[in-house]
Amino acid sequence: MTPDKQLDKLTILPPGHPLTGHVAPPGSKSITNRALLLAGLARGTSRLTGALKSDDTRYMAEALRAMGVTVEEPDATTFVVTGTGRLTAPATPLFLGNAGTATRFLTAAVASVEGTVVVDGDAHMRKRPIAPLVSALNALGISAEAPTGCPPVTVRGTGHFASGRVEIDAGLSSQYVSALLMAAPLAPEGANAPVTVALTGTEIGARGYVDLTLDAMRAFGAEVEELDSATWRVKPTGYTATDFHIEPDASAATYLWGAEVLTGGQIDIGTPAQAFTQPDAKAHAVIAAFPHMPAVIDGSQMQDAIPTIAVLAAFNETPVRFVGIANLRVKECDRIRALSTGLNAIREGLAAEEGDDLIVSSDPALAGQTLPAEIDTFADHRIAMSFALAGLKINGITILDPDCVGKTYPGYWDALTSLGVSLQRG
């Protein structure tokens, strides 16, 4: 963390009363970046409403603009995207910050460009693995290389994606699968065979995100057949522009659900939990069980919700072990380490790591105590937003680098303030 980031801090003052009110979460980051890419690959003009405007989606929009796509922003939640059905080579490398979705999705999509494209990110993104996706592209005959196994990635496109069958190891991230699936309709028309994407084994991180991908692809005219639970066949149809509405972000909703149960309040987010299609909505049932959450929680299919639940677990009636969360080590930071570090900063021994499991030694008596702790967010938006929940019940919780929430939820601190939470900067 740079010195200026260390000086940038925000202390949450426990409200001392139930949080009530209405907060509309921003649009889904996962769906917005899928829709942006597909609209950019489509012929014609698409109108994306309910979209998220944040660091991650701006990186995607800027990358598309650099490759010849027109992206207009008529208001705070709308993108109007006009494409020709193909991307052109950008004049400079694509810089995508620490946006994992944009980086993985574009690494596959730019194989359809005629020319060389470099996909790069910031220092954090350069630590996030992308080798399985690069290997899959190579297996299709696409020239791609990432010498470190992480970005930057150099892709030498031939003007279209490649046809054939490709196998992908999705154990680290479902984004690799989504990247290949979304690029597959860009194979040449009249190709000898469609693109078949198959898992090596059945293990996949957060499978529900692949379902989001398939739904978005079909909305833009793709024809995808699920041959079995680990194999998809995609026809080389290209994409057709459409109007597309994006639902609120379920991961963002978890912080509001958490604030509600922690304070005994009632926060209307405008969308029932059962109406979400995103995997992290599964967290609602676990959060609703607070303070009697289960002793073992499998986070494999709701990975981005685990930081929220882990902080809630500190106040649970009984200890909680989180399993199936190994992938959290390769997110924006090592989230297992960040969670254990932050919880132990609040009180030594509050959390422990056993392999890739996280054990939280719950203690409801933490509520109401003064336990000064500076929480290192490791520039990770989800660590910042999750530990803010601890500050609703404990005096002295200070979040370092609080503006990192801009990655997916720029209005987060304003949302807490609107519910009656007082914040102190510096």
Side-chain angles (χ1 to χ4, degrees):
M1 185 178 298
T2 60
D4 60 322
K5 291 297 184 183
Q6 289 177 331
L7 292 173
D8 190 9
K9 57 183 68 173
L10 185 149
T11 300
I12 296 94
L13 305 182
H17 58 77
L19 297 184
T20 61
H22 174 78
V23 174
S28 164
K29 181 261 290 188
S30 300
I31 300 177
T32 299
N33 263 350
R34 284 164 171 78
L36 273 172
L37 175 60
L38 298 178
L41 297 174
R43 286 189 174 90
T45 297
S46 302
R47 187 177 185 88
L48 313 180
T49 56
L52 171 67
K53 302 289 183 74
S54 74
D55 294 348
D56 274 20
T57 60
R58 288 193 181 94
Y59 282 126
M60 175 65 89
E62 285 301 318
L64 292 173
R65 290 180 179 118
M67 292 186 287
V69 177
T70 300
V71 183
E72 300 170 292
E73 303 184 40
D75 60 50
T77 60
T78 303
F79 288 104
V80 177
V81 183
T82 302
T84 63
R86 61 179 297 156
L87 303 176
T88 58
T92 59
L94 300 178
F95 179 78
L96 299 166
N98 194 15
T101 52
T103 300
R104 275 76 176 259
F105 296 170
L106 285 168
T107 293
V110 299
S112 67
V113 169
E114 186 170 357
T116 298
V117 183
V118 176
V119 179
D120 202 359
D122 63 17
H124 299 285
M125 194 67 229
R126 287 186 169 195
K127 296 178 182 177
R128 300 180 67 181
I130 202 165
L133 178 56
V134 172
S135 295
L137 294 174
N138 292 160
L140 280 168
I142 296 166
S143 175
E145 59 186 39
T148 67
C150 302
V153 187
T154 301
V155 183
R156 298 174 183 86
T158 58
H160 58 76
F161 199 65
S163 299
R165 176 185 170 90
V166 61
E167 296 187 350
I168 180 74
D169 179 353
L172 282 176
S173 177
S174 65
Q175 291 174 4
Y176 304 149
V177 180
S178 290
L180 292 171
L181 288 171
M182 286 190 287
L186 307 177
E189 291 185 18
N192 294 330
V195 179
T196 300
V197 179
L199 301 181
T200 54
T202 57
E203 183 179 349
I204 181 172
R207 174 179 288 272
Y209 285 106
V210 174
D211 294 333
L212 290 185
T213 299
L214 297 175
D215 288 344
M217 289 173 62
R218 289 171 177 139
F220 284 86
E223 295 183 29
V224 189
E225 180 183 2
E226 188 168 353
L227 302 182
D228 56 46
S229 63
T231 314
W232 300 267
R233 180 183 293 148
V234 187
K235 291 185 179 179
T237 57
Y239 290 108
T240 302
T242 190
D243 290 346
F244 189 90
H245 182 70
I246 294 154
E247 70 183 48
D249 194 281
S251 306
T254 67
Y255 311 117
L256 301 169
W257 293 333
E260 183 178 62
V261 299
L262 260 184
T263 66
Q266 189 169 7
I267 302 172
D268 175 16
I269 67 169
T271 304
Q274 63 270 22
F276 287 95
T277 63
Q278 300 154 73
D280 277 359
K282 295 181 177 69
H284 182 267
V286 177
I287 292 171
F290 180 86
H292 304 290
M293 295 191 299
V296 178
I297 294 175
D298 184 347
S300 61
Q301 300 305 312
M302 52 179 181
Q303 295 171 12
D304 285 346
I306 293 307
T308 305
I309 302 172
V311 173
L312 289 180
F315 304 92
N316 200 49
E317 291 285 349
T318 52
V320 178
R321 175 185 287 266
F322 294 88
V323 302
I325 60 172
N327 289 12
L328 267 64
R329 293 208 184 274
V330 293
K331 295 288 189 176
E332 281 83 337
C333 72
D334 179 342
R335 286 183 177 160
I336 299 174
R337 180 59 46 82
L339 286 166
S340 64
T341 299
L343 290 168
N344 287 324
I346 294 172
R347 193 190 69 192
E348 189 61 38
L350 188 54
E353 299 174 47
E354 289 187 5
D356 288 325
D357 290 359
L358 177 70
I359 299 94
V360 180
S361 302
S362 310
D363 182 4
L366 290 171
Q369 293 191 38
T370 298
L371 299 168
E374 290 195 340
I375 304 300
D376 189 341
T377 61
F378 299 92
D380 189 325
H381 56 134
R382 303 218 179 277
I383 299 302
M385 290 187 278
S386 298
F387 275 98
L389 299 178
L392 300 179
K393 303 299 289 185
I394 296 173
N395 287 287
I397 301 299
T398 298
I399 307 297
L400 303 181
D401 189 14
D403 293 336
C404 68
V405 302
K407 188 174 192 295
T408 55
Y409 196 165
Y412 181 67
W413 303 118
D414 290 339
L416 290 185
T417 300
S418 75
L419 293 168
V421 179
S422 295
L423 310 170
Q424 290 183 343
R425 281 270 183 183

